[in-house]
Amino acid sequence: MTTTDPSPTAARSGASATEAFRASRPQGTGTEVSAERVSAVVQAVLSGVHDAIRRTKVTYPEFQGAKQWLIEVGESGEWPLVLDVFIEHVVEEVAADSQHGTQGSILGPYYLPDQTRLPSVARLPMRSDEKGTALVFTGQVRNLDGQPLAGAELDIWHADDDGYYSGFAPHIPNGNLRGVVVCNEQGRFEISTIKPAPYQIPPDGPTGKLIDAAGWHPWRPAHLHLIVRAPGFRPITTQLYFEDGEWLADDVAQATKPEPVLHPQPTDDGRLHARYDFALEPLG
Ligand code: DHB
Ligand code: FE
């Protein structure tokens, strides 16, 4: 990490994401996986890498360059960013095979648990001068038969109008644009917030440098992150995108889907209103 970088907020997000990930892990994970399973998965991963090396005829200098990059990813704490931007979408795709109801999407590296609990009609915590177009997001949480789910909650977090997340950028107050909204008896909610900007992979870290070296773009379309929960139902981790949003058809994280897309309408008072209803499946 450089100390002269013009956007120090970006340079910090990797390290904070590593910290948040470690804090979220239950103790002692890993030991419950059988040797058979470890062997099967790791062998498949390694043979994919071996095949790529043969196919593209990777040279020694390239191998050493890759080693250097991997070391830098670890040192900068950017493993959560690398894994969530390039790989998580396929893990989610596999998980989605056995899920019904609202489509899921990746969790990403910027979830923080235990945010402020808010009533069903709520404004997300924000700065008094929070920039961005005001957005009212309403909807209902139901079961697969369309019955409303009382006691459902929406754990919501999103980037600000500059594409930065609180907790990962030191200039933003903790808890900004995050909250756990408790729905009413009808499973309904009305959340006032601002429309987030598209998100850019921090350009100054190893993930950004790789994207640049490959000539790719570093953007994700604007999105709201959600974990929707209700007692007795399978929680759904998803993201909602915005119709016609920039990068919607070309997400660097390949995590967009056609269905979880908002169609915001302008309101008389100059805000945007978007509606989305969620369907949860019972725990199996
Ligand atoms: C990353 C960031 C996000 O906000 C997201 O939703 C997914 C991935 C990332 O930097 O890896
Ligand atoms: Fe995100």
Side-chain angles (χ1 to χ4, degrees):
M1 232 180 283
T2 65
T3 49
T4 52
D5 194 274
S7 80
T9 56
R12 296 260 181 97
S13 49
S16 306
T18 289
E19 242 172 76
F21 176 75
R22 284 212 175 109
S24 75
R25 297 283 292 158
Q27 297 291 316
T29 36
T31 48
E32 70 279 14
V33 182
S34 72
E36 204 179 18
R37 178 71 179 156
V38 172
S39 177
V41 173
V42 175
Q43 241 179 61
V45 170
L46 290 176
S47 68
V49 173
H50 300 159
D51 282 352
I53 292 168
R54 289 191 190 101
R55 219 162 5 95
T56 61
K57 301 203 184 305
V58 168
T59 65
Y60 256 99
E62 286 167 344
F63 175 59
Q64 304 299 13
K67 208 184 273 186
Q68 177 67 32
W69 181 80
L70 290 162
I71 290 167
E72 281 169 24
V73 171
E75 284 174 350
S76 65
E78 280 199 6
W79 274 119
L81 271 63
V82 172
L83 293 168
D84 295 354
V85 78
F86 294 130
I87 293 180
E88 189 186 354
H89 70 98
V90 188
V91 181
E92 197 284 320
E93 179 187 305
V94 170
D97 280 347
S98 59
Q99 278 172 198
H100 302 97
T102 299
Q103 283 184 354
S105 186
I106 64 174
L107 176 70
Y110 299 140
Y111 175 64
L112 291 172
D114 306 321
Q115 298 302 304
T116 311
R117 290 180 78 78
L118 300 164
S120 64
V121 178
R123 183 179 154 90
L124 293 189
M126 64 177 78
R127 292 162 281 191
S128 55
D129 59 348
E130 193 72 43
K131 285 192 297 159
T133 309
L135 172 72
V136 190
F137 170 44
T138 63
Q140 190 178 34
V141 184
R142 309 190 193 112
N143 67 14
L144 296 182
D145 299 326
Q147 303 299 319
L149 294 180
E153 54 183 54
L154 264 67
D155 201 335
I156 180 169
W157 70 104
H158 66 82
D160 70 4
D161 188 52
D162 295 319
Y164 292 117
Y165 287 84
S166 64
F168 300 88
H171 67 288
I172 306 179
N174 283 342
N176 206 64
L177 302 177
R178 295 174 183 271
V180 180
V181 175
V182 180
C183 299
N184 70 10
E185 287 304 302
Q186 286 301 306
R188 292 188 188 279
F189 60 88
E190 180 183 318
I191 301 168
S192 297
T193 183
I194 56 108
K195 185 177 182 232
Y199 166 85
Q200 182 182 16
I201 301 290
D204 48 319
T207 320
K209 284 184 191 153
L210 171 67
I211 287 170
D212 190 48
W216 303 334
H217 79 72
W219 294 96
R220 298 213 61 222
H223 54 279
L224 304 178
H225 285 272
L226 294 135
I227 301 175
V228 185
R229 311 181 182 91
F233 288 80
R234 183 172 181 165
I236 181 93
T237 298
T238 194
Q239 300 190 19
L240 297 175
Y241 303 93
F242 293 84
E243 185 181 28
D244 302 328
E246 208 179 351
W247 313 110
L248 191 57
D250 192 17
D251 176 9
V252 66
Q254 297 179 60
T256 58
K257 298 186 183 186
E259 193 244 309
V261 173
L262 298 171
H263 308 276
Q265 305 294 325
T267 62
D268 292 343
D269 57 5
R271 299 186 292 176
L272 288 173
H273 174 222
R275 184 187 163 115
Y276 201 86
D277 296 334
F278 299 90
L280 300 190
E281 68 175 321
L283 282 172

